Amino acid sequence: MNKRHRSLLFGMLLGDGCLKTKKHTKDNGETSTYYEYVLCHSVKQEDYLKHKVNLFHSIMGGKKPKISYEIRELGSACRMSRCHRSFRLLHKYLYSNNNKKFFTRRVLNWLDAQALAIWYMDDGGLKPTKRKDGTISSCQLGLWTYCSEEEADTILAYFNEVWGIQPKKAFYKKNGRWNIIFNTSEGKKFEKIIAPYVIESMSYKLPSLRITRVLDTQTDNAEGDDIV
């Protein structure tokens, strides 16, 4: 697995993807652990999931993973999964906090521009500022990481030192976690990096030249009128 492949696999895990720990018991009673790579989205983002499945398949090869569909409490979802021995190392690096996903500089340093775009398409969104007439005057970019303050500080340092971008951390009182916010000028820098890799069906998350699309976008995100 080369650097680019590992970058993309981490990028798809930082947001909505996950590695599930599985136990297998042999006939002799011995137990072994393996890891299942899972990508799951609402059916509204089926096109985006297909895009990620294609990326995943280009990296892992073999038989292309099938997409399955299921009905959940919050609506219909689509998912793919695959097990592979190489996922053990990804799990070791990313799930470094009592088997929970944890943002570390070691993992962030793997990310290239395309991996950042995937992370943003998963967890990012717009925080619009509206005028009195309801039109939007500006949009901040946000990464809804819902992480600890320690992780937030690690992410801020990473963006500053690696990409020359200075976002800020924002405290979310409802669950006591932290998100990452880019103001207008810093958001433009970030968008310039990720825009070439944002697919058309997810381009509503980018403010440049698409501000009118923001006006027509509905969301039930807990942040209020944020576009996710």
Side-chain angles (χ1 to χ4, degrees):
M1 185 183 299
N2 61 37
K3 183 176 181 180
R4 178 178 177 275
H5 290 168
R6 187 168 292 180
S7 172
L8 291 174
L9 289 175
F10 272 130
M12 290 188 283
L13 287 173
L14 286 180
D16 295 325
C18 68
L19 281 172
K20 293 186 176 182
T21 303
K22 299 286 186 177
K23 300 289 185 180
H24 174 70
T25 303
K26 301 178 181 178
D27 293 337
N28 62 6
E30 292 182 1
T31 301
S32 61
T33 302
Y34 65 97
Y35 301 94
E36 181 184 22
Y37 196 110
V38 179
L39 300 175
C40 185
H41 287 278
S42 161
V43 292
K44 294 180 180 179
Q45 295 181 339
E46 180 182 8
D47 182 64
Y48 177 43
L49 177 61
K50 290 179 178 178
H51 170 71
K52 293 204 290 187
V53 168
N54 288 335
L55 285 177
F56 182 89
H57 181 56
S58 71
I59 296 169
M60 302 305 301
K63 188 176 181 180
K64 188 174 183 179
K66 292 183 178 180
I67 295 177
S68 61
Y69 300 84
E70 54 192 49
I71 304 297
R72 297 185 173 186
E73 184 177 349
L74 297 178
S76 300
C78 48
R79 72 191 297 272
M80 66 127 276
S81 65
R82 170 71 65 84
C83 297
H84 195 277
R85 61 181 181 274
S86 64
F87 298 154
R88 181 182 299 273
L89 189 60
L90 300 180
H91 188 278
K92 177 183 177 181
Y93 290 159
L94 186 56
Y95 289 74
S96 57
N97 182 30
N98 296 322
N99 204 35
K100 295 181 179 180
K101 197 181 296 186
F102 193 80
F103 294 98
T104 65
R105 185 61 181 264
R106 185 175 191 176
V107 169
L108 295 174
N109 282 342
W110 279 103
L111 305 181
D112 60 16
Q114 187 173 11
L116 284 180
I118 293 171
W119 185 15
Y120 180 73
M121 286 187 284
D122 274 15
D123 278 356
L126 302 175
K127 199 174 185 67
T129 300
K130 294 183 179 182
R131 303 183 182 90
K132 292 182 178 180
D133 62 1
T135 59
I136 294 177
S137 59
S138 64
C139 281
Q140 289 183 330
L141 298 185
L143 278 170
W144 313 131
T145 50
Y146 298 110
C147 61
S148 67
E149 187 171 16
E150 176 188 353
E151 293 171 277
D153 288 338
T154 297
I155 295 171
L156 297 184
Y158 163 75
F159 275 112
N160 185 20
E161 295 166 14
V162 176
W163 299 98
I165 301 174
Q166 297 182 332
K168 297 181 179 180
K169 60 187 177 184
F171 186 62
Y172 185 49
K173 294 181 180 180
K174 189 172 182 178
N175 61 8
R177 308 294 280 176
W178 294 81
N179 295 315
I180 307 300
I181 300 295
F182 302 77
N183 65 21
T184 301
S185 60
E186 300 306 304
K188 288 180 179 178
K189 296 178 186 177
F190 183 54
E191 182 180 354
K192 186 176 181 180
I193 293 169
I194 65 173
Y197 305 101
V198 175
I199 66 172
E200 180 60 30
S201 64
M202 302 299 286
S203 62
Y204 67 90
K205 293 193 175 192
L206 297 178
S208 295
L209 304 180
R210 292 185 170 90
I211 198 71
T212 54
R213 294 187 63 180
V214 176
L215 291 170
D216 299 327
T217 304
Q218 298 296 321
T219 177
D220 57 0
N221 182 265
E223 292 285 331
D225 291 330
D226 298 346
I227 311 302
V228 299

